[in-house]
Amino acid sequence: MTRTIAPRVRILVLLFIAVTGALLAGAGPASAHAALTGSDPAQGVVADKAPTQVSLTFSEKVALNDDSLRVLDPKGKPVQTGSPANVSGTTYAVRLKSGLADGTYTVTYQVVSADSHPVAGAYTFSVGAPSRTVVSGTGPAAGGGVVGGLYAFGRYVSYAGFIVLAGGAAFVLACWRPGAGVRPLQRLVVGGWVALTAATLWLLLLRGAYTTSGKLADVFDLDLLGQVLQTKTGAALVSRLLLLAAAALFVAVLFGAYTRRDEGEEKRDLTFGLAVGGVVVAAGLATSWAMAEHASTGLQPGIAMPVDVVHLLAVAAWLGGLTALLTALYRAPAETPVEAAAVQRFSRVAFGSVLALVVTGVYQSWRQLGSWSAFTETRYGQLLLVKIGLVAVLVGIAAVSRRWTGRLTDPAVRAGKAEKTQARKEQVAVSKATGDGKGTGAGSRDTRRAAQLARQRAAVDAARRKRLRDGDPNRFGLRRSVLTEAGVAIVLLAVTTALTQTEPGRTEQEAKAATSASAGSGTSAASGALTLDMPFDTGGTDGKGVASIDLDPARVGGNEMHVYVQRPNGRAFDVSEVKVSFTLEAKKIGPLPVNPDHIATGHWSANGVQIPMAGDWKISVTVRTSDIDQVTVSKNAQIG
């Protein structure tokens, strides 16, 4: 049996390593869940005078320390004073020194989102005119690197440990109570407890370095550990450790006193007590995730956290029970094989768990995505589609397992007859081989001979039962389908872990919308395209409107320009003439005139607009609404 299972276990382990490695390879700081939705000064702007403070707005509340927001001058020296503070809602600011010189300044931020993930980044703005800077502009390494990978691996192990611990214990109590005395099942559940405990300690030690420096050397920094213990995530990890102490007591009773009790009212009472206590402890452990991650922030946290707890418990009952069933099918002793009735009971538990997963999963998907487009336009949505596909595959394989389970319930009359016949033959063979029978007097038997005979008979009986069990094609088919389910479950768990580290689709789309809005007010978007809105009034009749300029990619060299003119009510406005010019006053370049072609009502366009060098360009638009009514409006923007 060991030779048979070893290659399959190796396949599952290799699958786990491959999938986890592939998912962790893409993990990094960009997987954080709070997003920067605005800033003042904004990215790339050139201010006429130095601001007194820098403020950042995030998509959700974040946690800060003294170094969370830093502003560096062109030489890389910090110019902020005091500690950053929450000025309103999700906006945080830090004050600047007075008398800042002209040049380009770099803002770096490193905060922790409300769902426990680090957020880091950087951007630049200029005072007076852009300048060279010695600052690289890259954000801190929090949440990435080796520490980020180790932290992600710890999260995977903690989820796996919880699933095996809770699901394995539930399988014993709800489906196969004799399994409490089966060594392989005991080792499985205890292994889940050990994995979850070790992973929780591991995450607690890594947490400080994960959210700050990203350096492996800071893992054992006691000051950082003290700071972690004061955070929501630190409190969740500590509460998990305390609950694991209660779980250790539960496991000790389940595999100790419970196995020694005979069937009867007393054992039924103990079963009820263990079931209630197990549900309370498992729900508490699940809550330690819900209280510090996605469910605790965003929409409807009061509903989302209980739903998340139910979701985790359903996952544990299904996948943990599946792991316990796989262990029982392959490793249970021949004298206590897993019963067909137990497999059937687990099938019902798994079906109920899948229903719970569907209901809670639909709610979680709506809450984290918010729109159908987020399924394909965000990484969270794409991973969720992969997860849904894997669940569908798993349900399909489970349906095959249910068919094998149904066949196991059929009476094996022929197998029973064969077993009795074989037992009689082997008993006669053993009697002849050992001289047990006629010609041996009772007085000539010694204790060692009787013990040897008993061991031989037990070995023969065990071998017979194992042979009959392994020869059952229905049980063999069930083994293979359950093993396949376990392989898919490993991949599913890895994808789920990646989801918990990915920015929710709703948040990502809101951040993109905020970035687009800031671009509309004169800020360069992340893609490099520039949009400027310039209200105008020529002074004549029907002379008011808005001229919008789109410059793509807003870089040195050739650019594509579109001009849209609209009336105050938003309708397209076909004015008599539109002209555009570009001036780089700091270098005394320009004005460079551009005469766009009229394309459609209210739309003008020009290709190959040449920008000779990067800088703070003044973009002027001249709008003529009649022979005598015209006006020129302008705005500055960083190009290049």
Side-chain angles (χ1 to χ4, degrees):
M1 177 162 40
T2 303
R3 291 178 183 174
T4 303
I5 191 173
R8 294 167 181 169
V9 170
R10 282 198 294 270
I11 291 172
L12 291 181
V13 171
L14 289 174
L15 181 62
F16 156 72
I17 293 173
V19 173
T20 304
L23 290 172
L24 297 186
S31 295
H33 298 169
L36 183 68
T37 58
S39 61
D40 186 17
Q43 158 73 27
V45 304
V46 180
D48 294 333
K49 60 180 182 178
T52 59
Q53 69 175 22
V54 168
S55 63
L56 304 179
T57 301
F58 295 92
S59 58
E60 62 183 47
K61 288 189 175 181
V62 297
L64 305 93
N65 56 39
D66 292 344
D67 294 325
S68 290
L69 302 182
R70 302 176 66 215
V71 183
L72 308 176
D73 67 12
K75 295 181 180 179
K77 296 181 180 179
V79 295
Q80 78 276 5
T81 62
S83 301
N86 180 216
V87 293
S88 65
T90 58
T91 300
Y92 303 82
V94 64
R95 298 194 64 81
L96 304 180
K97 296 178 181 178
S98 58
L100 296 183
D102 290 354
T104 297
Y105 290 78
T106 303
V107 179
T108 68
Y109 57 91
Q110 180 174 292
V111 298
V112 179
S113 63
D115 58 4
S116 80
H117 295 271
V119 185
Y123 74 91
T124 62
F125 70 91
S126 300
V127 176
S131 69
R132 293 184 178 275
T133 176
V134 300
V135 183
S136 66
T138 57
V146 176
V147 171
L150 292 175
Y151 194 86
F153 178 76
R155 289 171 63 85
Y156 183 99
V157 174
S158 66
Y159 278 122
F162 170 73
I163 287 172
V164 171
L165 171 62
F171 177 81
V172 171
L173 279 175
C175 303
W176 191 36
R177 293 176 189 172
V182 173
R183 282 285 184 184
L185 272 183
Q186 293 176 357
R187 286 194 291 267
L188 176 72
V189 175
V190 172
W193 182 91
V194 171
L196 179 54
T197 303
T200 302
L201 290 170
W202 177 259
L203 294 175
L204 198 57
L205 288 174
L206 286 171
R207 181 69 189 173
Y210 174 68
T211 58
T212 55
S213 65
K215 297 178 181 178
L216 194 60
D218 290 339
V219 169
F220 297 103
D221 188 327
L222 295 181
D223 291 335
L224 278 178
L225 181 60
Q227 295 174 19
V228 168
L229 294 177
Q230 299 176 30
T231 64
K232 181 171 67 173
T233 303
L237 291 172
V238 171
S239 66
R240 191 180 302 167
L241 288 174
L242 295 175
L243 286 165
L244 281 167
L249 178 61
F250 168 85
V251 171
V253 174
L254 178 62
F255 297 138
Y258 185 74
T259 59
R260 294 191 294 268
R261 296 287 176 90
D262 295 328
E263 291 296 335
E265 185 176 352
E266 189 176 353
K267 187 164 186 174
R268 286 194 295 272
D269 291 342
L270 183 56
T271 301
F272 178 78
L274 284 173
V276 173
V279 169
V280 171
V281 172
L285 289 171
T287 303
S288 69
W289 276 283
M291 68 182 288
E293 296 191 353
H294 283 171
S296 63
T297 62
L299 295 175
Q300 304 174 347
I303 299 175
M305 284 194 287
V307 168
D308 197 48
V309 170
V310 173
H311 192 81
L312 281 171
L313 292 177
V315 170
W318 184 18
L319 301 187
L322 185 70
T323 307
L325 175 60
L326 182 66
T327 302
L329 286 171
Y330 276 101
R331 302 300 301 274
E335 57 270 17
T336 56
V338 61
E339 304 159 356
V343 180
Q344 193 172 35
R345 282 192 289 270
F346 172 70
S347 182
R348 290 194 292 267
V349 169
F351 181 75
S353 298
V354 170
L355 291 180
L357 285 173
V358 170
V359 174
T360 56
V362 168
Y363 172 78
Q364 289 177 331
S365 299
W366 167 80
R367 184 173 176 272
Q368 300 295 353
L369 291 177
S371 66
W372 292 107
S373 62
F375 272 108
T376 55
E377 295 176 1
T378 66
R379 184 169 184 265
Y380 187 96
Q382 293 161 2
L383 281 174
L384 187 58
L385 286 176
V386 174
K387 179 181 177 180
I388 292 171
L390 288 171
V391 170
V393 170
L394 203 55
V395 170
I397 300 172
V400 176
S401 298
R402 283 175 67 88
R403 285 202 296 270
W404 288 118
T405 301
R407 294 175 185 177
L408 284 179
T409 59
D410 296 334
V413 178
R414 186 174 61 180
K417 291 181 179 178
E419 180 179 357
K420 291 179 182 179
T421 303
Q422 185 67 17
R424 284 195 297 269
K425 291 180 179 179
E426 291 176 346
Q427 185 175 1
V428 171
V430 170
S431 298
K432 291 180 178 180
T434 58
D436 181 20
K438 298 178 181 179
T440 58
S444 64
R445 297 177 183 173
D446 58 15
T447 305
R448 286 185 299 175
R449 183 67 172 171
Q452 182 184 12
L453 182 59
R455 287 195 298 269
Q456 288 175 335
R457 286 178 174 172
V460 170
D461 288 342
R464 184 184 67 254
R465 283 191 292 266
K466 179 180 180 297
R467 185 167 57 254
L468 290 173
R469 184 194 66 186
D470 295 345
D472 183 0
N474 296 326
R475 187 173 293 270
F476 178 75
L478 180 62
R479 279 181 173 184
R480 296 193 65 176
S481 64
V482 172
L483 183 65
T484 306
E485 283 186 77
V488 177
I490 288 174
V491 182
L492 177 62
L493 182 58
V495 173
T496 301
T497 304
L499 269 175
T500 65
Q501 298 182 171
T502 304
E503 181 179 351
R506 184 188 292 270
T507 303
E508 183 178 337
Q509 289 194 323
E510 288 175 354
K512 287 179 180 178
T515 302
S516 299
S518 65
S521 61
T523 302
S524 178
S527 64
L530 175 72
T531 300
L532 295 174
D533 293 336
M534 303 183 195
F536 65 84
D537 184 0
T538 60
T541 303
D542 196 20
K544 292 183 178 181
V546 177
S548 297
I549 291 186
D550 288 346
L551 191 67
D552 190 10
R555 296 287 186 267
V556 174
N559 293 262
E560 182 179 349
M561 185 184 74
H562 294 271
V563 181
Y564 301 92
V565 181
Q566 295 179 331
R567 299 179 187 275
N569 61 8
R571 297 183 63 182
F573 189 3
D574 237 0
V575 298
S576 300
E577 185 180 26
V578 171
K579 294 188 292 185
V580 182
S581 66
F582 295 82
T583 305
L584 184 59
E585 296 176 340
K587 300 294 183 180
K588 297 182 179 179
I589 298 176
L592 306 177
V594 178
N595 294 315
D597 298 324
H598 186 240
I599 304 299
T601 303
H603 181 198
W604 288 258
S605 175
N607 294 322
V609 178
Q610 293 294 322
I611 303 298
M613 65 184 302
D616 181 34
W617 288 83
K618 182 172 78 172
I619 304 175
S620 302
V621 180
T622 300
V623 178
R624 182 167 61 85
T625 56
S626 69
D627 291 339
I628 59 174
D629 297 320
Q630 76 173 35
V631 68
T632 299
V633 292
S634 61
K635 274 190 177 182
N636 280 29
Q638 181 70 25
I639 301 178

